[in-house]
Amino acid sequence: MKSQGIHPTTTSISQPKMSFRGKNAVVTGGAGGIGLQVSKQLLAAGAAVAIIDLQDNLEEFVKLRAAHPTQSVMIVKMDVANKKGVEATYEEIAKTFGNIDIVVNVAGIFNDKDVQRTLLVNLGGIINSTLSALPYMGKDNGGKGGIVVNMSSVVGLDPMFIIPVYGATKAGIINFTRCLANEKYYQRSGIKFVTVCPGATMTDMFTNFTEKIIFPETSDETYRILDRLNKQSAADVSRCILNVLEKDKNGAVYVIEGKRVFPLEMKAQWTGKEQAL
């Protein structure tokens, strides 16, 4: 990838060097795809993991618990679009774990034809989970601080005309997360906020893809675009996300492409705002 302001890190995906042992993590969308792979990576690194997902994946959950019998693996069936339900879920997780150190928000859908559901899950779900976690993580509320990683997409950075609704939610995630990464918030709470933007990744998103776009006349072009994309695996992306957690850089935005992490230089476009609030 050769884009201005994007510089590859000196390492590609690798086993995490930071010790996650003893840390408590929450992963939304952890029943499948990238979220499940992130959960596996965190457990393999020694963390306790709580998975929030509306979907069931009993076979995989049994495997997770069998592979990590001495670690806590908590499964909560919950729709991230349900604000009150998510708040109650975090209260339950905090009671079980005692504290929360890491949140990785992955839950999302693709169906541009269902605009409201896409907005409520993709953007609303990220907001619900993030804000619900803060009371249990913030040092100003008796927590230990920590890190929240929110998953956006490269289409939240650069428009792709075939998926405008999905792209809009992903752009919103980037802005929301960067707002929370304000240094004033960090000094008070001790929580860092990071955004990751994976490129094309082999997940269920591509199933019946053209049936979920809002402009059917673009179907032929959509197939051509999908065929040309260099797709990575969910496991590749999950390992990169653990690499991002290691970096622990508040406010950072990363592209994940080709098993590598590329930090973005997010330059200010509006020069009229006050520098200090």
Side-chain angles (χ1 to χ4, degrees), residues 54-98:
L54 186 60
Q55 305 302 317
D56 285 319
N57 194 344
L58 182 60
E59 182 179 352
E60 286 293 342
F61 295 157
V62 169
K63 289 180 181 178
L64 286 180
R65 286 180 165 136
H68 306 280
T70 63
Q71 292 163 247
S72 295
V73 181
M74 185 176 178
I75 313 294
V76 183
K77 185 173 183 179
M78 178 55 60
D79 182 356
V80 292
N82 180 345
K83 180 177 180 291
K84 289 186 178 180
V86 172
E87 290 173 347
T89 296
Y90 269 95
E91 182 178 4
E92 180 183 353
I93 293 170
K95 286 179 180 177
T96 301
F97 282 177

Side-chain angles (χ1 to χ4, degrees), residues 27-191:
V27 180
T28 68
I34 295 171
L36 176 60
Q37 296 301 321
V38 169
S39 299
K40 289 180 177 180
Q41 290 288 325
L42 286 167
L43 285 164
V49 174
I51 293 173
I52 303 173
D53 204 314
L54 186 60
Q55 305 302 317
D56 285 319
N57 194 344
L58 182 60
E59 182 179 352
E60 286 293 342
F61 295 157
V62 169
K63 289 180 181 178
L64 286 180
R65 286 180 165 136
H68 306 280
T70 63
Q71 292 163 247
S72 295
V73 181
M74 185 176 178
I75 313 294
V76 183
K77 185 173 183 179
M78 178 55 60
D79 182 356
V80 292
N82 180 345
K83 180 177 180 291
K84 289 186 178 180
V86 172
E87 290 173 347
T89 296
Y90 269 95
E91 182 178 4
E92 180 183 353
I93 293 170
K95 286 179 180 177
T96 301
F97 282 177
N99 66 283
I100 298 170
D101 305 294
I102 299 166
V103 174
V104 182
N105 286 312
V106 178
I109 62 170
F110 170 71
N111 188 348
D112 269 23
K113 284 187 175 180
D114 193 341
V115 174
Q116 291 301 314
R117 181 65 180 164
T118 299
L119 292 171
L120 288 172
V121 173
N122 290 7
L123 183 55
I126 291 275
I127 292 173
N128 289 341
S129 176
T130 300
L131 297 184
S132 296
L134 301 190
Y136 306 103
M137 297 179 72
K139 292 180 178 179
D140 49 335
N141 283 316
K144 298 180 179 180
I147 185 168
V148 176
V149 175
N150 287 334
M151 195 174 80
S152 176
S153 167
V154 290
V155 300
L157 295 163
D158 295 321
M160 182 174 282
F161 74 96
I162 59 175
I163 48 176
V165 179
Y166 179 84
T169 64
K170 296 302 181 176
I173 291 167
I174 296 170
N175 199 297
F176 170 73
T177 309
R178 292 181 66 209
C179 284
L180 292 182
N182 183 280
E183 185 65 19
K184 292 182 183 296
Y185 292 158
Y186 175 68
Q187 291 299 328
R188 186 178 71 221
S189 71
I191 305 171

Side-chain angles (χ1 to χ4, degrees), residues 221-238:
E221 179 64 16
T222 297
Y223 279 122
R224 287 193 289 271
I225 290 172
L226 294 180
D227 286 341
R228 291 196 300 266
L229 291 175
N230 293 318
K231 302 177 184 68
Q232 57 198 339
S233 73
D236 292 336
V237 174
S238 72

